[in-house]
Amino acid sequence: MLDRPRASAGADWLLFLVPAFIWGTTWFAIKFQLGAVAAEVSVAYRFGLAALLLFAWCGLRGIGLGFGPAAHASMALMGVLQFALNYVLVYLSEEHLTSGLVALLFGLLVLWNLIGARLFFGSPLTPPVVLGAALGMIGVTLVLWRDLSQLGGPGGGLGVVLAVAGTIVASAGNLWSQRLYRRGVAVVPSTAWGMLYGSLAVALYAALRGVSFQIRATVPYLASLAYLALFGSVFAFISYLTLLRRIGAGRSGYTAVVIPVLAMATSTVFEGYRWSAAALAGMLLVLAGNVLMLRRAA
């Protein structure tokens, strides 16, 4: 970013920091969604609202929203993976783990993306990528070890399983999105449709299970819903896409390094997460691993 003209570099840094900060704090905002409203219903509300906001954005910008049946089918699958099942698993995992730990586990998304790109698109796995993946896995283990042993019972383990499953589903959504974009489908309108389809899929699932759709009319719940939909799902996304277009996918991917730091810092301040020497070392290993894996794409 620093080799660009000063004004342009400043804009790049702003576009980098906005999604990194927002996504680094959305993990904690999810905590206010848990409780009286079922996770599935909160996810449906969040992405239904976000879809409407993105449709409005497309309307204001004159971005076309028309697609053929095949594209709609692909966007529906993307929505189910990226904005439905993925986030239901995230919400459920945060019922057992702190938001910072769930965010840190989602650092594995970089690893799954690289493995998936190798399997489905033939992208090479270089020695730095393999080393970075190994460092990341060791780091996550170090961070989680003390907390899982202190939780007792199956809750902590279940939270980890749910979070890791969420990363795998999210990676599948990323890879399917990449396939969709390679066909020339525009990113913002396809995301709007994907969010709508994901919201409808979760709502249908909740309805079939007889889950109540009654909203929790409290300030924390409504404020977190607005923050997650408007900032976490619209502002951050548009900022990130703009950055990606300006500097490329490799360097914009370094948000994956900053987000866990902010999420863990937020968890430390608001959830009372206490650091051990092993956890701190593990965090540094995760960051180093992500940097190694992402450098090859820069």
Side-chain angles (χ1 to χ4, degrees):
M1 294 184 210
L2 297 179
D3 57 348
R4 296 166 65 87
R6 181 173 300 178
S8 180
D12 290 346
W13 277 111
L14 180 63
L15 290 169
F16 177 86
L17 292 173
V18 166
F21 175 80
I22 293 175
W23 282 331
T25 55
T26 52
W27 302 94
F28 179 65
I30 289 173
K31 285 290 186 181
F32 296 96
Q33 299 275 286
L34 307 177
V37 181
E40 299 91 330
V41 174
S42 290
V43 170
Y45 285 147
R46 171 181 176 176
F47 287 105
L49 178 57
L52 294 177
L53 292 170
L54 275 179
F55 282 131
W57 169 266
C58 290
L60 289 173
R61 303 284 293 180
I63 300 173
L65 292 167
F67 294 96
H72 273 285
S74 292
M75 290 185 292
L77 178 57
M78 177 186 73
V80 169
L81 293 172
Q82 197 85 299
F83 307 116
L85 182 56
N86 166 26
Y87 275 92
V88 169
L89 291 168
V90 168
Y91 278 52
L92 293 175
S93 68
E94 287 205 21
E95 292 180 354
H96 306 285
L97 299 173
T98 66
S99 60
L101 290 177
V102 176
L104 187 67
L105 280 167
F106 257 75
L108 295 173
L109 181 65
V110 178
L111 171 61
W112 306 143
N113 282 350
L114 289 168
I115 293 174
R118 171 60 179 171
L119 292 175
F120 298 108
F121 301 116
S123 302
L125 284 177
T126 61
V129 167
V130 175
L131 175 60
L135 290 177
M137 295 293 289
I138 295 170
V140 167
T141 302
L142 285 174
V143 173
L144 291 173
W145 189 260
R146 182 201 64 181
D147 298 87
L148 293 182
S149 65
Q150 289 181 352
L151 283 172
L158 177 60
V160 172
V161 170
L162 290 169
V164 172
T167 67
I168 294 172
V169 171
S171 179
N174 287 348
L175 294 168
W176 185 259
S177 299
Q178 182 177 345
R179 181 175 181 270
L180 186 64
Y181 300 149
R182 284 186 172 184
R183 295 179 176 179
V185 176
V187 175
V188 174
S190 65
T191 300
W193 281 111
M195 287 182 175
L196 178 62
Y197 286 129
S199 174
L200 292 175
V202 177
L204 177 61
Y205 171 75
L208 291 174
R209 289 187 57 224
V211 177
S212 172
F213 281 82
Q214 183 176 357
I215 197 167
R216 188 177 186 181
T218 63
V219 172
Y221 183 86
L222 295 177
S224 62
L225 178 62
Y227 182 73
L228 291 167
L230 180 59
F231 289 89
S233 305
V234 177
F235 285 172
F237 181 77
I238 291 173
S239 298
Y240 180 76
L241 284 180
T242 304
L243 178 70
L244 188 148
R245 186 173 67 246
R246 289 167 66 98
I247 69 173
R251 285 186 291 172
S252 60
Y254 279 93
T255 54
V257 180
V258 178
I259 289 168
V261 176
L262 293 172
M264 291 299 289
T266 302
S267 182
T268 301
V269 173
F270 295 105
E271 296 179 281
Y273 179 80
R274 290 183 294 176
W275 290 85
S276 65
L280 183 57
M283 180 71 171
L284 295 175
L285 286 176
V286 169
L287 298 180
N290 278 357
V291 168
L292 278 173
M293 288 188 284
L294 288 165
R295 280 185 64 188
R296 305 305 302 171

